[in-house]
Amino acid sequence: MAKNKTSGVVWLRRLSQGVFLVIFLWLFYALAYHPENATKGPTGMFFNLDPLIMLTVWLGGHAVATALLLSLITLAVTVVFGRWFCGWVCPFGTFNNMFSSLRSGKRKEKIKEASYTPMQKTKYYIVTVVLVGSFFGANMAGWLDPFSFLYRSFAGAVFPAVNALFQGMFDWFYDVNPIGLKAVSEPVYRFMRGYFLTLGQPHYYWGMLFGVMFGGVLVLNLFKARFWCRYICPLGGLLGVVGKNPALQLKVDAEKCKSCMECVMECQGGAEPQSNESWRPAECVYCWNCRSVCPVKAITFEFKVPEVRS
């Protein structure tokens, strides 16, 4: 079966993911490199858009900072467009997406791995525990919220590792001076010391733990597409509940459908897009892969009055 050309909507989604990933990395850089009293700009943008953070702050302190009310935008968008935030905005979702694309295997195995499993309900139990824990003063969102987890992983493990790698490389160029490259490496080093590398090697408690956890989550994507998003993410669980009956609905033309299961194989969320009856909007991250790969164009998305789903 000939492979379909990737649709414009999928390319638009990839562009959106790339833009928000670059924004996250830039904001992380602003927080990690500059002194706190010199940090300016919307460095807390992703946290302010996170309704899980808003709820945990409210449950723990019975008050919400005005900036966190921006997360109401996320909830409003979710009511209309489903878990669009997970598939188009979340930078951690983008990392998981990139590693998921490295999966290999036979067709039957890919279809089985991409299909929905009851274990995906785990994230709904996790978000419940996180919210109940917040009410009793336990800040579990600081560990499991995707933005908190991603920031801690970068601050505690990724950035220190990158810093050490570059420092070691430039030290080697300075000491060994292979084929006279020190003359080139030193200006580059001075530039990076001025704009990227820290003056001293950063070390953080729990850095190794977050590094192992972060690496483990990325590797798990090789076995299940967007493993974190499907099974663990409490924000994804919360948005799945809010977006269970979105206004933007998947529609499958049963007369056109050939039951080839291409849509299931390319589904990032285990949303079962092969029929109107099987589709699970709470699991759908609106990647539009199903619509893009359908060889007979049987899948579309359209706005309609949400149906009551069990």
Side-chain angles (χ1 to χ4, degrees):
M1 184 178 295
K3 188 173 182 180
N4 285 344
K5 184 179 179 181
T6 303
S7 70
V9 179
V10 171
W11 281 114
L12 183 61
R13 187 254 302 165
R14 292 173 178 173
L15 176 62
S16 175
Q17 289 179 301
V19 168
F20 281 106
L21 178 58
V22 170
I23 292 174
F24 171 82
L25 293 175
W26 173 254
L27 295 179
F28 169 79
Y29 165 77
L31 285 171
Y33 181 79
H34 298 292
E36 184 176 355
N37 59 0
T39 301
K40 297 180 180 179
T43 52
M45 183 187 85
F46 287 100
F47 294 98
N48 293 336
L49 289 171
D50 187 339
L52 180 64
I53 296 295
M54 181 189 69
L55 284 175
T56 54
V57 169
W58 176 70
L59 289 171
H62 306 293
V64 177
T66 303
L68 287 176
L69 294 178
L70 289 173
S71 62
L72 296 177
I73 297 175
T74 304
L75 293 178
V77 170
T78 303
V79 170
V80 179
F81 295 98
R83 286 177 60 188
W84 179 87
F85 188 86
C86 299
W88 290 64
V89 176
C90 180
F92 195 22
T94 300
F95 274 111
N96 286 299
N97 200 162
M98 291 190 303
F99 275 78
S100 296
S101 66
L102 302 177
R103 289 180 305 128
S104 61
K106 297 180 179 179
R107 177 182 172 82
K108 286 186 177 180
E109 293 175 349
K110 284 186 175 181
I111 293 175
K112 183 179 179 181
E113 291 171 358
S115 299
Y116 174 83
T117 64
M119 283 294 292
Q120 290 182 218
K121 295 179 181 178
T122 304
K123 62 181 172 292
Y124 301 110
Y125 302 136
I126 291 176
V127 69
T128 301
V129 171
V130 168
L131 293 176
V132 172
S134 297
F135 180 78
F136 291 102
N139 183 23
M140 286 179 282
W143 284 80
L144 294 174
D145 176 80
F147 301 131
S148 297
F149 182 82
L150 185 58
Y151 180 83
R152 286 174 183 262
S153 298
F154 266 73
V158 176
F159 184 65
V162 171
N163 191 81
L165 176 64
F166 276 102
Q167 289 282 8
M169 181 181 68
F170 283 116
D171 287 345
W172 182 79
F173 274 116
Y174 184 83
D175 294 335
V176 178
N177 191 24
I179 59 173
L181 287 180
K182 185 169 72 172
V184 177
S185 66
E186 281 302 289
V188 176
Y189 176 65
R190 286 193 294 270
F191 174 82
M192 294 192 69
R193 278 291 292 267
Y195 294 96
F196 180 75
L197 299 176
T198 59
L199 296 177
Q201 174 61 23
H203 296 282
Y204 301 97
Y205 293 114
W206 304 103
M208 181 63 72
L209 175 60
F210 270 100
V212 171
M213 291 171 62
F214 181 63
V217 167
L218 295 182
V219 169
L220 286 171
N221 290 299
L222 302 179
F223 302 95
K224 280 282 188 178
R226 296 186 68 143
F227 185 94
W228 168 276
C229 311
R230 290 193 189 206
Y231 300 105
I232 301 173
C233 184
L235 176 57
L238 176 62
L239 296 180
V241 173
V242 175
K244 187 176 182 180
N245 295 301
L248 184 60
Q249 300 260 325
L250 176 141
K251 181 180 179 181
V252 180
D253 189 330
E255 294 183 358
K256 287 184 178 180
C257 181
K258 303 298 182 183
S259 300
C260 65
M261 303 298 279
E262 287 285 325
C263 56
V264 174
M265 187 168 64
E266 296 298 326
C267 180
Q268 295 181 3
E272 300 290 309
Q274 68 269 29
S275 73
N276 298 317
E277 293 73 28
S278 65
W279 182 56
R280 297 173 179 270
E283 306 300 325
C284 181
V285 295
Y286 287 79
C287 64
W288 289 62
N289 283 349
C290 56
R291 179 179 179 273
S292 179
V293 301
C294 181
V296 295
K297 304 303 178 185
I299 297 177
T300 59
F301 284 89
E302 60 182 37
F303 288 99
K304 64 180 181 178
V305 178
E307 300 175 357
V308 177
R309 293 175 179 267
S310 58

